[in-house]
Amino acid sequence: MRWTRNFIPTLRESPQEAEIRSHRLMIRAGLIQKLAGGLYTFLPLGLRSLRKVEKIVREVMNNHGAIEVLLPILQPKEIWTQSGRWNVMRDLMLVAKDRQDRSFVLGPTHEEIITDLVSKRIKSYRDLPKNFYQIQTKFRDEIRPRFGLMRSREFLMKDGYSFDATDETAQKSYWNMVEAYQEIFKRCGFNFIMVEADTGVMGGSLSHEFMVLADTGEDELFVCKGCGYAANRELALRHCVPSFSSASSKYEEVQTPHMKSVEGVSRFLKVSPQQLIKTLIYEMDRKPHAILIRGDVEVNEGKLRRLFKGASVELASEEKVSQVTASPVGFAGPLGLKGIPLVADLSVKGLRDAVTGANKADTHFIHVDLERDCSIDAFQDLGFPKNGDLCGKCKAPFQVLRGIEVGHVFKLGTKYSAILGANYLNEQGTQLPCVMGCYGIGVSRCLAAFVEQNSTENGILWNQALAPFEVLISPLLMEVGEIVEAAEKLYNDLKLKGMDVLLDDRKERPGVKFKDADLIGFPIQVALGQKFLETRSLEVHIRPRQKVEHIPMDSIVSYLEGMIRSL
């Protein structure tokens, strides 16, 4: 491909709305173009890289026994109502109506659709296991689309779904896909880790995320330095050491007028937030519970749901709090609280000389010894982890990293198959629901994640696997026939070898060509200038390694073949 016959609209300045490096560079390098908030056009170079991610995904998925299908993006409302997810995901979906006033959504995901297909086509244990996947456009109406392809409203996703007869074979399917995902991300060239994750609205019993490590990642990851346990912030199991262990005198009541927040109370009483015990009234399936947690720790509602076996979990209303505690919101405390269970986070276990609400307006207790002064029903890990916490499995220190989620796998069980009728007959003739797994990769997000991890402020550092072109040939003196002729010969020789090569045939200054080459980030850049005329050698820039070689013309093709294989 010749530069002048392509469409590569590079920019010198960064767009104002671009908040992170990958967003800035992908627009400046002419890979993508914004249409509206969260909607991007893939330009020719960006599309070439996107297709290379797709190619890796297809090859690996096919090699691991998955079967490619293509499901409709437009989905009828009725199937979402049947699965019970219409109300759960309604705010994320774009709804449209056809001429007969029937409601449809642009699919944010395809669990319902693939399960409907299996319910109509698979009937016997002899048809199982099956593993389907597709690479398809998704639409999610993000409240705040940002960071370019990292959090867009329309995106390309590889989603896959396994169907098995038993839990044991479903487990094998799950770990087969974990292995496939590790291979995909290694071939893409990511520095990534796999972490345990919350199943969230997807449901199921097991889940892992694949995280590309980057300082700008939205997700906080906790990795144990001792046993290697790794989980995201929503799931990480933590061990807490009490911050205050000194003995305390008998608790006493103090006035704290209008002080409801942790910050206000700690400032007013001149104590640390770590010395406060928050008492939060939650309703688990409409039954009130008091959740006790240290002032500087947040309650993790996902952990509450798991503790209470999937019960609906929500903070009680102000009216309910007043009814249960006989006090306004902000003054609840465990002492004297009657008629509801007290469940405490590990952060308050052993905490003495603490401050709690007194179940009375404008009043708190000080010098509270939690285990001495009230009866706790259970101590559980109910909080989000913090920097400095210890691993809940081996008590070694956590390392806190940041990551960009590029893949997520779930063992779903029978949540969707039972509701949507994806059943099979076993060997005894009994009808049973298929056991499902679900596996997603953000294909377009992979590009942004790669750029975020492999770039400088001056440009992208593509590897051979994902680069839009592997080799850029830059004749620097287009008015010199000998240079143009040599560049054309090299261009044709490399094409015959099957290489992805771009010839920069623009009549531009060398400085412009070099800046564009570095901005786009071609892994190998071959320059022909005055030195070529003097020595018959070509200047080869190996951008991922930040090195320059001078290679004779008669050995340049074999050199480039070897270099591409090594990148």
Side-chain angles (χ1 to χ4, degrees):
M1 178 65 72
R2 299 171 186 274
W3 195 299
T4 55
R5 295 181 186 175
N6 209 317
F7 180 61
I8 310 173
T10 58
L11 299 175
R12 299 275 77 86
E13 302 296 327
S14 297
Q16 291 185 348
E17 76 272 12
E19 300 173 74
I20 59 175
R21 183 186 290 171
S22 60
H23 192 188
R24 291 193 295 272
L25 290 176
M26 294 185 80
I27 290 179
R28 285 190 57 212
L31 304 180
I32 59 174
Q33 175 65 46
K34 181 179 176 180
L35 174 65
L39 302 175
Y40 288 87
T41 298
F42 275 88
L43 303 181
L45 293 193
L47 185 60
R48 287 181 68 92
S49 290
L50 187 70
R51 295 294 183 237
K52 290 190 174 185
V53 178
E54 289 184 50
K55 183 174 183 290
I56 291 172
V57 170
R58 280 194 172 91
E59 288 177 358
V60 175
M61 292 299 294
N62 293 344
N63 288 341
H64 280 75
I67 308 160
E68 187 171 7
V69 295
L70 186 61
L71 305 170
I73 187 173
L74 201 62
Q75 306 175 11
K77 173 185 175 182
E78 289 77 13
I79 196 167
W80 283 83
T81 303
Q82 185 181 353
S83 73
R85 288 207 299 174
W86 176 260
N87 291 328
V88 175
M89 296 188 68
R90 175 66 182 83
D91 291 341
L92 274 176
M93 297 191 291
L94 182 66
V95 180
K97 291 194 174 185
D98 67 8
R99 65 184 66 199
Q100 296 177 345
D101 204 37
R102 294 175 300 192
S103 293
F104 292 81
V105 299
L106 283 182
T109 184
H110 278 75
E111 284 77 25
E112 282 80 358
I113 311 309
I114 192 70
T115 310
D116 177 74
L117 169 66
V118 169
S119 74
K120 294 170 180 174
R121 294 287 181 170
I122 288 180
K123 301 299 179 184
S124 168
Y125 72 94
R126 295 186 182 89
D127 301 323
L128 300 173
K130 284 290 183 290
N131 191 332
F132 300 104
Y133 79 96
Q134 65 168 346
I135 298 176
Q136 170 68 285
T137 299
K138 309 288 187 188
F139 186 91
R140 296 179 187 173
D141 197 8
E142 295 282 353
I143 296 174
R144 189 185 166 206
R146 53 185 177 152
F147 303 154
L149 300 183
M150 206 74 78
R151 187 163 293 281
S152 54
R153 292 195 291 169
E154 181 180 294
F155 54 95
L156 194 65
M157 180 178 177
K158 191 292 295 183
D159 50 319
Y161 309 92
S162 61
F163 294 82
D164 283 88
T166 68
D167 190 72
E168 290 74 23
T169 58
Q171 193 84 348
K172 290 179 182 178
S173 294
Y174 181 90
W175 291 109
N176 178 46
M177 285 297 96
V178 166
E179 183 181 297
Y181 275 35
Q182 290 173 328
E183 183 179 340
I184 288 168
F185 298 131
K186 284 176 185 175
R187 284 185 55 179
C188 287
F190 288 131
N191 176 20
F192 72 96
I193 62 172
M194 183 177 82
V195 301
E196 292 185 16
D198 190 5
T199 56
V201 297
M202 290 293 293
S205 58
L206 183 63
S207 179
H208 287 85
E209 291 172 334
F210 295 82
M211 294 286 185
V212 170
L213 299 177
D215 292 338
T216 53
E218 290 186 283
D219 294 282
E220 202 170 31
L221 314 175
F222 289 78
V223 181
C224 177
K225 296 179 181 179
C227 66
Y229 167 71
N232 65 17
R233 183 173 178 264
E234 285 70 31
L235 198 72
L237 301 174
R238 54 200 247 286
H239 172 74
C240 302
V241 178
S243 300
F244 298 88
S245 57
S246 59
S248 60
S249 56
K250 181 174 173 55
Y251 68 86
E252 59 182 273
E253 186 179 291
V254 295
Q255 294 299 301
T256 51
H258 311 297
M259 296 298 166
K260 298 182 177 183
S261 68
V262 169
E263 294 77 12
V265 173
S266 58
R267 188 169 54 248
F268 184 80
L269 296 178
K270 296 182 173 56
V271 297
S272 164
Q274 292 179 317
Q275 205 167 340
L276 269 66
I277 297 175
K278 294 185 289 191
T279 302
L280 303 171
I281 308 302
Y282 272 87
E283 290 193 273
M284 319 297 179
D285 283 343
R286 301 189 178 181
K287 297 177 182 178
H289 290 66
I291 305 300
L292 312 181
I293 198 163
R294 206 170 65 196
D296 63 327
V297 180
E298 295 177 64
V299 170
N300 182 334
E301 292 185 359
K303 289 182 177 179
L304 280 181
R305 289 187 187 93
R306 285 188 290 278
L307 176 63
F308 289 94
K309 309 298 183 189
S312 63
V313 172
E314 57 184 347
L315 273 171
S317 65
E318 290 191 21
E319 181 182 0
K320 189 68 173 181
V321 171
S322 297
Q323 177 186 333
V324 169
T325 68
S327 67
V329 171
F331 297 98
L335 278 67
L337 198 57
K338 304 292 185 183
I340 66 172
L342 300 181
V343 183
D345 179 56
L346 297 176
S347 61
V348 298
K349 188 172 178 61
L351 190 56
R352 300 176 183 143
D353 200 24
V355 176
T356 73
N359 297 316
K360 186 190 300 185
D362 299 330
T363 310
H364 279 76
F365 287 131
I366 59 174
H367 305 313
V368 173
D369 182 329
L370 189 63
E371 293 175 72
R372 178 195 68 192
D373 297 329
C374 58
S375 178
I376 305 300
D377 292 290
F379 284 95
Q380 299 284 343
D381 178 10
L382 301 177
F384 284 107
K386 293 165 55 69
N387 197 0
D389 279 350
L390 304 180
C391 171
K393 294 199 172 184
C394 75
K395 302 182 183 178
F398 270 133
Q399 180 183 12
V400 184
L401 304 172
R402 299 204 72 83
I404 300 165
E405 180 191 340
V406 290
H408 204 157
V409 294
F410 301 85
K411 186 181 176 190
L412 295 176
T414 60
K415 174 180 177 179
Y416 299 95
S417 54
I419 294 173
L420 298 172
N423 302 315
Y424 72 97
L425 292 176
N426 68 8
E427 292 181 77
Q428 291 74 41
T430 303
Q431 183 170 275
L432 297 171
C434 297
V435 185
M436 289 179 60
C438 171
Y439 319 97
I441 290 177
V443 176
S444 49
R445 178 183 271 208
C446 280
L447 288 187
F450 185 91
V451 175
E452 202 62 43
Q453 195 176 67
N454 300 275
S455 61
T456 70
E457 283 298 334
N458 294 323
I460 302 168
L461 299 169
W462 288 115
N463 61 7
Q464 178 269 344
L466 301 187
F469 289 95
E470 297 168 327
V471 180
L472 173 71
I473 301 172
S474 294
L476 302 178
L477 302 171
M478 289 295 294
E479 70 278 7
V480 178
E482 190 176 352
I483 286 178
V484 173
E485 183 181 336
E488 290 280 357
K489 182 179 185 309
L490 178 58
Y491 172 64
N492 288 319
D493 288 346
L494 295 182
K495 284 205 302 178
L496 287 174
K497 293 288 185 179
M499 296 186 199
D500 275 340
V501 57
L502 178 67
L503 177 64
D504 188 352
D505 58 341
R506 295 176 297 168
K507 294 180 179 179
E508 287 282 6
R509 300 186 311 276
V512 172
K513 291 192 173 189
F514 281 131
K515 280 193 172 181
D516 279 345
D518 287 347
L519 173 61
I520 296 168
F522 303 101
I524 299 175
Q525 303 164 16
V526 182
L528 296 83
Q530 186 63 39
K531 195 163 215 175
F532 172 77
L533 296 175
E534 298 168 358
T535 66
R536 303 298 294 175
S537 66
L538 298 90
E539 189 173 284
V540 182
H541 295 247
I542 313 300
R543 186 144 168 77
R545 298 178 184 175
Q546 298 292 287
K547 66 183 267 189
V548 178
E549 300 273 8
H550 292 87
I551 307 299
M553 182 70 180
D554 58 5
S555 58
I556 186 65
V557 173
S558 60
Y559 171 83
L560 292 177
E561 281 187 295
M563 183 56 65
I564 285 174
R565 284 194 298 268
S566 70
L567 289 180

